[in-house]
Every structure is written in C-alpha cells, then in structure tokens.
C-alpha cells in the first residue's frame, strides 16, 4: 500500500500512528517511476478515522498525481 499504488518500480517507507487528537496519522514517502521518469513523492495525512482510511486516501492521492504527471 502507499505511493507504490502508482508504480511497480518504487522504494518507499510507510508509517502510521493512532494519535488521540489527530485520529490516525498515515504517511507514505519514497521514490516512484511514472511514465519512465523518476519522482520523489511524499503523502502525509492525519485525522483519518482508521488506518485503512488513511491508506486508501494516500493511494487515491498518488493516483491523482500520476494522472497529472503522465
């Protein structure tokens, strides 16, 4: 899961933490290849109701970026 949703050729570090005041904090940071070009991508989220919700949000945002840079 994470930014790797846009690239089979990726290196990433995902992180998550349930934090009382900010709900779930879920992040994905790393390197992806989109349309043959190298990118460093970071998606940081907070106030997620669940960890899975944060993961889905990161993957959707990553796909949105992929569409813009293609």
């Amino acid at each position: 899961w994470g930014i790797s949703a846009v690239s089979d050729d990726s290196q990433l570090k995902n992180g998550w933490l349930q934090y009382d005041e900010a709900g779930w904090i879920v992040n994905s940071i790393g390197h992806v290849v989109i349309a043959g070009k190298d990118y460093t991508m970071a998606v940081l989220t907070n106030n997620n109701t669940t960890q899975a919700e944060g993961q889905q949000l990161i993957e959707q945002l990553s796909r949105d970026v992929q569409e813009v840079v293609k």
Side-chain angles (χ1 to χ4, degrees), residues 4-67:
S4 60
V6 300
S7 174
D8 290 334
D9 187 9
S10 63
Q11 300 170 9
L12 65 120
K13 173 67 175 122
N14 294 328
W16 58 94
L17 171 68
Q18 186 175 15
Y19 194 71
D20 293 334
E21 295 176 12
W24 278 90
I25 300 168
V26 186
N27 304 316
S28 187
I29 302 166
H31 170 264
V32 295
V33 177
I34 300 173
K37 295 183 180 177
D38 295 318
Y39 295 92
T40 300
M41 181 182 291
V43 182
L44 312 172
T45 71
N46 66 358
N47 292 322
N48 298 291
T49 305
T50 64
Q51 180 183 351
E53 177 185 282
Q55 291 172 349
Q56 291 171 353
L57 176 59
I58 288 170
E59 290 176 356
Q60 183 58 55
L61 291 169
S62 297
R63 286 189 286 271
D64 292 346
V65 168
Q66 179 185 32
E67 290 303 313

